[in-house]
Amino acid sequence: MNNYISENKDRFLNELLDMLRIPSVSADPKFKQDVIRTAEFVKARLQEAGADKVELCETAGYPIVYGEKIIDPSLPTVLVYGHYDVQPADPYELWNSPPFEPVIKDGKIYARGACDDKGQMYMHVKAFEVMMQNNALPCNVKFMIEGEEEVGSENLGTFVKNNKDKLAADVILISDTGMLANDTPSITTGLRGMSYMEVEVTGPNRDLHSGLYGGAVANPINILCQMIASLHDENNHITIPGFYDNVTELSQEERAEMARAPFSLDKYKKALDLSDIHGEEGYTTMERTSIRPTLDVNGIWGGYTGEGAKTVIPSKAFAKISMRLVPNQTSAEITEKFTKHFESIAPASVKVLVKPHHGGEPVVTPTDSVAYQAASKAYEETFGVKPIPVRSGGSIPIVAMFKSELGLDSVLMGFGLDSDAIHSPNENFGVFNYMKGIETIPLFYKYYAEMSK
Ligand code: BES
Ligand code: MN
Ligand code: MN
């Protein structure tokens, strides 16, 4: 198999670059035709690789690409999930090369989606081709590649609920996360959930002259800033009543185990040009970004932001606020607690409107399962060291639903690095990582089939 992989390396890369040229930004309707073209691209590549029953499953939003290869119903079935949509590329001016004109430089593929998730998803299509061409597919496989992950996967949730038979499988396999470093592989064993909110604060019924009215009328931007600032206390705990009620606290043993993963605070600060870090008192950086819930403003706007100065008290101010959730919080519970609290802290001088966006539930995956053990052996073989289990701070909303709706655990075989700059300008993915993924995935199938016997 490794011969086949090295002989076809250039083609494997070029096919990925072709997909990266299509700007499949799900958040922006301007790219609608491109998102659909990307679904068609994935469909065609799955067909070429040898999948059967390949189809675009229509949803209320973007289509889901489905395909399968059932070689023997008595063998275990792996359901591969990934996404072909990408985040918006803004701000374009901060990219060193255009986000949808991929280039390979210093061993890295630069483009929006290079890592998240086109590069990582496509490793699975190529790994499948490798197994097919070498008569080495040891299990049944189903592919489900969606186009709305970056906007909350709501239609995929409905699809999963309505297609339980079609999606029947033994395990879910996903590459949409990262690992610690190229010489320190890790397997993600947890994802945070999410409650995403938008708030609108209204003061006077029109923008006002800030000289004539300033000091006598509430400025909605000032008020919104005060309200947001009050959501954390001096120890950076979140002040929403009951916010931590259901949070599962880890035991000292579990925390000590986590602390064994290599981590350098110095390198962390250097990579981000920070003089100091910040976060909830009583927890380490690793804990703050994995086992603890958080609240962050993603955007805030209102008033005059154009050239020069305009003296105005704006009528309205807005913010987008997201909360990352951990077991046993639920997005419904947190959305309600946030809404109640935010409404209650608004002074009578303004009106406040809270609009919930998408949510998702947190998840922790087992490390004692056959599937985890198979993944661990696969990484050990290709990286030469045993991977470390690590809980991640990111979210993939569908993973908790795979468990609740299909009863299936996921194995999160990520090959990305923190330095890949996903969601940021100059997103990239190492050629090393792409090829390692294509090499490691078939070994997962091999060990999973062997160990399931
Ligand atoms: N692939 C990421 C999530 C991720 C990245 C998890 C790295 C762990 C490590 C995914 O595409 C993503 O960006 N998810 C969103 C959530 C979604 C509801 C917009 C996120 O985490 O912000
Ligand atoms: Mn992703
Ligand atoms: Mn993403």
Side-chain angles (χ1 to χ4, degrees):
M1 282 202 279
N2 284 349
N3 278 341
Y4 184 89
I5 295 175
S6 46
E7 279 159 19
N8 290 281
K9 179 177 174 184
D10 287 348
R11 180 172 56 82
F12 287 180
L13 279 165
N14 284 327
E15 288 174 10
L16 172 58
L17 299 191
D18 284 343
M19 178 167 42
L20 291 169
R21 283 189 190 96
I22 321 177
S24 52
V25 180
S26 51
D28 186 345
K30 182 169 93 206
F31 295 101
K32 184 171 177 197
Q33 288 315 316
D34 297 305
V35 183
I36 294 168
R37 266 205 299 140
T38 311
E40 283 158 359
F41 180 98
V42 175
K43 178 184 169 195
R45 297 295 88 74
L46 267 178
Q47 264 161 344
E48 284 165 8
D52 299 326
K53 298 191 183 168
V54 187
E55 58 176 323
L56 293 188
C57 304
E58 295 305 327
T59 71
Y62 288 119
I64 293 156
V65 189
Y66 179 85
E68 62 179 42
K69 190 79 200 175
I70 308 296
I71 52 171
D72 177 349
S74 69
L75 288 171
T77 301
V78 175
L79 175 57
V80 175
Y81 163 78
H83 62 94
Y84 63 81
D85 65 320
V86 300
Q87 284 273 318
D90 310 76
Y92 280 67
E93 64 276 14
L94 295 184
W95 285 77
N96 296 327
S97 55
F100 299 108
E101 294 172 29
V103 290
I104 300 180
K105 216 179 107 189
D106 305 326
K108 291 170 177 174
I109 308 157
Y110 285 88
R112 170 58 82 233
C115 171
D116 183 11
D117 182 39
K118 284 174 169 170
Q120 296 214 71
M121 173 267 285
Y122 206 60
M123 297 181 316
H124 286 269
V125 181
K126 292 300 98 178
F128 173 64
E129 175 192 321
V130 171
M131 290 186 285
M132 290 294 286
Q133 291 297 319
N134 289 274
N135 280 318
L137 181 68
C139 322
N140 303 311
V141 54
K142 296 177 175 178
F143 288 89
M144 182 175 69
I145 314 296
E146 71 153 322
E148 298 187 306
E149 195 278 340
E150 299 292 7
V151 290
S153 300
E154 267 169 56
N155 294 307
L156 181 69
T158 312
F159 181 79
V160 168
K161 281 188 185 144
N162 293 339
N163 290 277
K164 292 188 182 174
D165 289 339
K166 187 187 184 94
L167 302 175
D170 296 281
V171 70
I172 311 273
L173 181 61
I174 305 174
S175 295
D176 193 22
T177 54
M179 54 180 196
L180 290 172
N182 282 345
D183 59 3
T184 318
S186 55
I187 297 178
T188 302
T189 53
L191 294 163
R192 287 194 283 193
M194 158 101 75
S195 282
Y196 201 108
M197 319 291 294
E198 187 164 328
V199 299
E200 177 183 318
V201 175
T202 306
N205 58 7
R206 58 186 164 90
D207 289 4
L208 301 174
H209 188 293
S210 67
L212 299 184
Y213 291 93
V217 169
N219 179 325
I221 301 181
N222 294 14
I223 301 279
L224 177 59
C225 290
Q226 284 170 358
M227 290 169 72
I228 287 170
S230 78
L231 296 176
H232 289 93
D233 68 14
E234 64 282 9
N235 296 318
N236 291 312
H237 292 299
I238 294 157
T239 57
I240 298 169
F243 186 83
Y244 294 100
D245 278 2
N246 298 321
V247 169
T248 308
E249 298 282 345
L250 267 64
S251 67
Q252 281 312 322
E253 290 74 41
E254 288 170 302
R255 291 177 69 183
E257 180 63 34
M258 267 189 75
R260 287 174 49 194
F263 176 77
S264 156
L265 198 53
D266 257 356
K267 279 194 193 150
Y268 188 82
K269 287 194 285 191
K270 273 216 183 79
L272 302 173
D273 281 329
L274 292 170
S275 320
D276 202 0
I277 44 148
H278 172 102
E280 188 184 0
E281 188 139 304
Y283 296 92
T284 65
T285 297
M286 286 270 257
E287 290 171 338
R288 287 168 179 169
T289 58
S290 61
I291 61 164
R292 298 300 295 167
T294 56
L295 181 152
D296 278 290
V297 181
N298 301 273
I300 181 163
W301 69 102
Y304 183 72
T305 56
E307 286 292 314
K310 180 187 183 197
T311 46
V312 65
I313 294 177
S315 168
K316 284 180 187 289
F318 306 83
K320 291 186 194 278
I321 299 173
S322 66
M323 289 160 284
R324 297 274 171 178
L325 315 179
V326 300
N328 240 336
Q329 293 177 300
T330 69
S331 63
E333 164 219 348
I334 294 300
T335 296
E336 191 190 322
K337 285 176 177 166
F338 176 92
T339 306
K340 252 198 179 148
H341 179 65
F342 208 74
E343 286 169 356
S344 79
I345 59 174
S349 53
V350 298
K351 292 189 224 28
V352 49
L353 185 70
V354 180
K355 289 181 276 189
H357 281 260
H358 52 74
E361 308 310 323
V363 69
V364 172
T365 61
T367 53
D368 56 2
S369 65
V370 168
Y372 181 90
Q373 295 303 328
S376 180
K377 279 185 79 162
Y379 277 84
E380 192 172 352
E381 190 164 326
T382 51
F383 285 86
V385 272
K386 201 172 161 167
I388 304 169
V390 174
R391 276 172 65 174
S392 169
S395 308
I396 308 175
I398 202 66
V399 176
M401 280 193 68
F402 285 143
K403 183 71 184 173
S404 61
E405 296 298 323
L406 303 177
L408 296 179
D409 285 316
S410 296
V411 181
L412 299 161
M413 287 181 70
F415 294 89
L417 299 174
D418 281 352
S419 55
D420 291 347
I422 63 172
H423 294 207
S424 302
N426 303 309
E427 176 176 355
N428 64 88
F429 191 39
V431 173
F432 170 87
N433 301 68
Y434 181 60
M435 298 310 295
K436 267 286 187 252
I438 296 173
E439 218 184 296
T440 309
I441 291 164
L443 293 171
F444 167 80
Y445 284 80
K446 177 180 150 201
Y447 291 126
Y448 183 62
E450 277 177 22
M451 293 162 76
S452 299
K453 275 182 192 150

